[in-house]
């Protein structure tokens, strides 16, 4: 054999070897990924031969499947339309799924290892329908969810963007989770794949961002709600509720020519105020100076202890990954040389500069204060029931997430936040027969953009036990945004209180 033929033969052998290696790579390592891919049409069609399990809130199905006469035997439907969209997500034919539909897909589809016995019984049957998928029972209070959706949609300021989330401080159970604007997941679950893709593309291209989960996945400057974190740091560093702190009508931090002022001249114009009054009145100048005095490391560490900077938090099943949560951030607050940046630190201490927070984080702060300093891990999945609903495969067992503050600090913060609602800026959140505490926040969003309105708060029953903690955010709501957020928060907590058996 001459040299050119030998070279060709070697090249051909190498190519066959590479092809063989690639084939084995796909079969041995990639097969399962391709088999279970959201975009594998054969797998998707096969899924529709088995009825998908329900997702329920308060005993009411909010995601269910109905039989059709088409080649895809079952159509996924969402009876409440957009009301639960950012909790449930959607289960489409030809698109990637989202929300609880994605997080609990195996159990809902009946392919989970937990449901092996059901599938084995199906194999032994000579005739008859296969058992359906498992059922997911949410922690959501139907009344609280309905209220949150209605109040956000019909808020008195006409704000079109916002979010609300409520938790049971004692367990971490999510009582309500709404993001606005919302969307109707029914259009995305259509068996007309062209129509479903068109609906998705329209939603994705909408500048209002209806697919964005503002309760969990979006961060914005929290304004004065962040003062609770700074107050907690102060209480741990020698300050009491009655300690006098510097205040005044304006404050200019060292190295900064930009003065910080209070929302109106009547707020803490005196040179000094107590920490209690600074929280009640929402004294910007007082907290700006307090933050500079405490130092960046102290403020940042206390925020971290409350949950800022956490990258891996999800909300769903306590023992498995759920809906992703964006990390709340405090920013650097430091100069390039590593020393504190007084101007940035002063602004950060009133929830501006580079501080960013999710509504979930706001609710977690309020919940920790209400729950004697203990922050519970939030969850959405309360129970997993088998297809016949008689077998309980999972019941949420509440888990502590962290202990950001001591019981004494929590008690002092509770007193101050209650004073905000009884005497200060949070009066709209009051609930007859319950002790309500909270903190309003108005966050500047930049030039030519209206301010964001925030409220974080909690409700305690007559025995002092926490029953709900909430955060409401109205994006670009403008003047009165925090007062309206407080009003909405009070309505949501009132609904959660009235529906104790809804979870």
């Amino acid at each position: 054999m001459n040299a050119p033929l030998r070279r060709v033969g070697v090249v051909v052998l190498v190519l066959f070897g590479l092809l063989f290696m690639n084939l084995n790579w796909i079969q041995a390592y990639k097969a399962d990924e391709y088999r279970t891919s959201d975009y594998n049409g054969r797998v998707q069609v096969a899924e529709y031969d088995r009825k998908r399990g329900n997702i329920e809130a308060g005993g009411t199905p909010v995601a269910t499947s109905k039989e059709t006469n088409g080649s895809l035997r079952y159509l996924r439907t969402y009876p409440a339309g957009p009301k639960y969209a950012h909790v449930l997500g959607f289960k489409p034919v030809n698109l990637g799924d989202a929300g609880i539909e994605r997080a609990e897909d195996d159990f809902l589809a009946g392919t989970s290892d937990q449901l092996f016995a059901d599938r084995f019984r199906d194999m032994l049957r000579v005739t008859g329908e296969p058992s359906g998928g498992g059922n997911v029972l949410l922690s959501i209070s139907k009344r609280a969810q309905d209220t949150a959706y209605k109040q956000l949609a019909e808020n008195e300021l006409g704000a079109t963007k916002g979010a609300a989330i409520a938790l049971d401080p004692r367990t971490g159970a999510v009582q309500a989770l709404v993001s606005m604007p919302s969307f109707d997941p029914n259009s995305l679950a259509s068996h007309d794949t062209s129509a479903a893709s068109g609906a998705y593309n329209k939603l994705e291209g909408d500048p209002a961002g209806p697919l964005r989960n503002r309760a969990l996945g979006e961060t914005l400057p929290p304004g004065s709600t962040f003062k609770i974190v700074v107050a907690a740091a102060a209480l741990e560093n020698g300050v009491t509720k009655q300690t006098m702190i510097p205040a005044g009508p304006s404050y200019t931090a060292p190295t900064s020519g930009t003065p910080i002022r209070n929302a109106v001249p009547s707020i803490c114009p005196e040179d000094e105020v107590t920490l209690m009054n600074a929280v009640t009145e929402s004294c910007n100048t007082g907290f700006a100076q307090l933050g500079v005095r405490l130092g960046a490391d102290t403020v940042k560490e206390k925020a971290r202890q409350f949950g800022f900077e956490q990258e891996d938090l999800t909300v769903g099943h306590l023992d498995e990954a759920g809906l992703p949560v964006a990390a709340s951030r405090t920013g650097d607050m430091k100069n390039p040389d590593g020393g504190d940046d007084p101007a940035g630190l002063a602004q950060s201490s009133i929830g501006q500069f580079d501080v960013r927070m999710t509504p979930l984080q706001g609710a977690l702060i309020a919940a920790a204060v209400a729950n004697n300093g203990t922050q519970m891990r939030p969850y959405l999945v309360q129970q997993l029931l088998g297809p016949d609903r008689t077998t309980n495969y999972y019941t949420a067992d509440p888990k502590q997430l962290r202990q950001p503050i001591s019981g004494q600090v929590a008690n002092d913060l509770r007193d101050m936040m209650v004073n905000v609602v009884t005497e200060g800026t949070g009066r709209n959140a009051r609930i007859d027969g319950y002790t309500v505490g909270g903190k309003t926040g108005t966050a500047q969003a930049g030039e030519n953009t209206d301010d964001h309105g925030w409220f974080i708060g909690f409700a305690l029953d007559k025995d002092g036990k926490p029953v709900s903690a909430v955060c409401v955010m109205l994006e670009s709501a403008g003047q009165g945004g925090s007062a309206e957020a407080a009003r909405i928060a009070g309505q949501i907590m009132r609904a959660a209180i009235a529906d104790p058996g809804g979870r």
Side-chain angles (χ1 to χ4, degrees):
M1 184 180 293
N2 60 33
L5 287 177
R6 282 198 300 272
R7 285 196 291 272
V8 170
V10 169
V11 169
V12 170
L13 286 173
V14 169
L15 291 175
F16 269 110
L18 292 173
L19 182 63
F20 180 76
M21 290 170 61
N22 185 59
L23 179 62
N24 278 274
W25 168 255
I26 291 173
Q27 288 182 329
Y29 296 102
K30 303 291 285 184
D32 190 61
E33 178 182 335
Y34 292 149
R35 180 180 59 80
T36 59
S37 169
D38 291 330
Y39 303 97
N40 184 333
R42 289 183 300 175
V43 171
Q44 290 171 335
V45 170
E47 276 189 293
Y48 289 84
D49 285 337
R50 183 188 297 270
K51 186 175 182 180
R52 191 172 178 85
N54 290 345
I55 305 176
E56 301 177 10
T60 300
V62 291
T64 187
S65 296
K66 66 178 184 180
E67 195 164 2
T68 74
N69 294 320
S71 58
L72 300 182
R73 189 172 175 187
Y74 292 100
L75 174 68
R76 196 64 166 165
T77 64
Y78 303 93
K83 194 175 295 183
Y84 290 80
H86 292 94
V87 175
L88 303 176
F90 44 87
K91 180 64 179 177
V93 177
N94 64 333
L95 301 166
D97 45 3
I100 289 296
E101 289 277 30
R102 181 180 184 86
E104 297 297 331
D105 181 55
D106 286 352
F107 195 80
L108 289 164
T111 58
S112 167
D113 289 345
Q114 295 179 83
L115 300 176
F116 172 78
D118 295 272
R119 295 195 302 275
F120 183 72
R121 284 193 295 270
D122 290 344
M123 293 172 59
L124 298 180
R125 290 193 183 107
V126 178
T127 61
E129 293 294 315
S131 57
N135 301 284
V136 175
L137 278 57
L138 301 177
S139 62
I140 294 287
S141 156
K142 186 175 182 299
R143 185 176 295 192
Q145 184 78 5
D146 290 350
T147 299
Y149 183 83
K150 178 180 173 62
Q151 293 296 326
L152 281 178
E154 301 174 5
N155 70 86
E156 295 177 359
L157 300 176
T160 58
K161 301 176 185 177
I165 183 164
L167 309 171
D168 183 335
R170 294 168 295 180
T171 64
V174 177
Q175 298 167 330
L177 191 161
V178 174
S179 177
M180 285 291 184
S182 191
F183 63 94
D184 187 352
N186 287 294
S187 62
L188 304 178
S190 170
H191 289 179
D192 183 338
T193 55
S194 295
S197 294
Y200 180 83
N201 291 336
K202 183 178 179 180
L203 289 168
E204 190 176 43
D206 189 333
L211 292 175
R212 290 156 52 187
N213 190 331
R214 288 172 163 85
L216 303 180
E218 299 285 323
T219 61
L220 288 172
S224 293
T225 60
F226 190 71
K227 291 173 182 173
I228 299 303
V229 174
V230 179
L235 289 168
E236 292 177 347
N237 285 273
V239 177
T240 70
K241 293 182 293 182
Q242 300 305 322
T243 297
M244 302 297 290
I245 64 173
S250 69
Y251 168 68
T252 303
T255 73
S256 171
T258 304
I260 291 174
R261 294 187 174 87
N262 299 308
V264 294
S266 60
I267 294 176
C268 60
E270 55 268 53
D271 291 339
E272 291 185 323
V273 295
T274 64
L275 181 62
M276 170 74 85
N277 286 340
V279 172
T280 302
E281 296 183 76
S282 201
C283 180
N284 288 341
T285 57
F287 271 93
Q289 294 175 81
L290 183 59
V292 171
R293 189 176 99 186
L294 289 168
D297 290 339
T298 298
V299 173
K300 286 174 63 64
E301 175 59 18
K302 181 46 59 182
R304 187 196 65 77
Q305 290 171 8
F306 269 109
F308 280 73
E309 318 300 339
Q310 183 173 355
E311 302 274 3
D312 59 352
L313 183 63
T314 64
V315 180
H317 189 303
L318 279 171
D319 300 324
E320 297 177 5
L323 280 61
V325 178
S328 297
R329 304 290 189 189
T330 56
D332 195 21
M333 306 183 196
K334 296 281 189 176
N335 288 317
D337 63 4
D340 286 0
D341 170 17
L345 179 51
Q347 289 285 346
S348 297
S349 298
I350 60 172
Q352 296 286 169
F353 197 50
D354 291 333
V355 180
R356 298 292 183 272
M357 185 175 81
T358 63
L360 172 63
Q361 179 61 60
L364 285 171
I365 292 171
V369 172
N371 196 37
N372 206 36
T374 300
Q375 199 177 85
M376 303 300 288
R377 183 178 170 187
Y379 65 88
L380 276 163
V381 177
Q382 187 69 44
Q383 277 188 295
L384 297 177
L385 299 182
D388 61 1
R389 304 185 66 86
T390 62
T391 306
N392 184 359
Y393 288 94
Y394 167 84
T395 297
D397 182 15
K399 292 177 169 54
Q400 180 175 324
L401 184 60
R402 53 177 68 90
Q403 182 89 23
I405 50 177
S406 68
Q408 180 58 55
V409 170
N411 186 63
D412 289 343
L413 290 173
R414 272 199 305 274
D415 289 346
M416 290 188 281
M417 292 176 73
V418 168
N419 213 46
V420 169
V421 174
T422 57
E423 305 291 339
T425 57
R427 290 182 175 90
N428 285 354
R430 289 178 291 190
I431 302 172
D432 290 343
Y434 288 81
T435 300
V436 178
K439 184 70 191 78
T440 54
T442 300
Q444 295 177 348
E447 294 182 8
N448 304 316
T449 303
D450 289 330
D451 295 344
H452 307 313
W454 289 81
F455 181 83
I456 65 172
F458 56 79
L460 311 176
D461 66 15
K462 60 182 177 60
D463 297 320
K465 295 178 180 177
V467 291
S468 188
V470 69
C471 178
V472 175
M473 182 276 294
L474 297 176
E475 188 174 333
S476 303
Q479 186 174 7
S482 61
E484 177 64 357
R487 186 193 67 79
I488 292 172
Q491 294 292 326
I492 295 170
M493 290 191 290
R494 183 179 287 109
I497 290 166
D499 189 23
R503 298 179 296 283

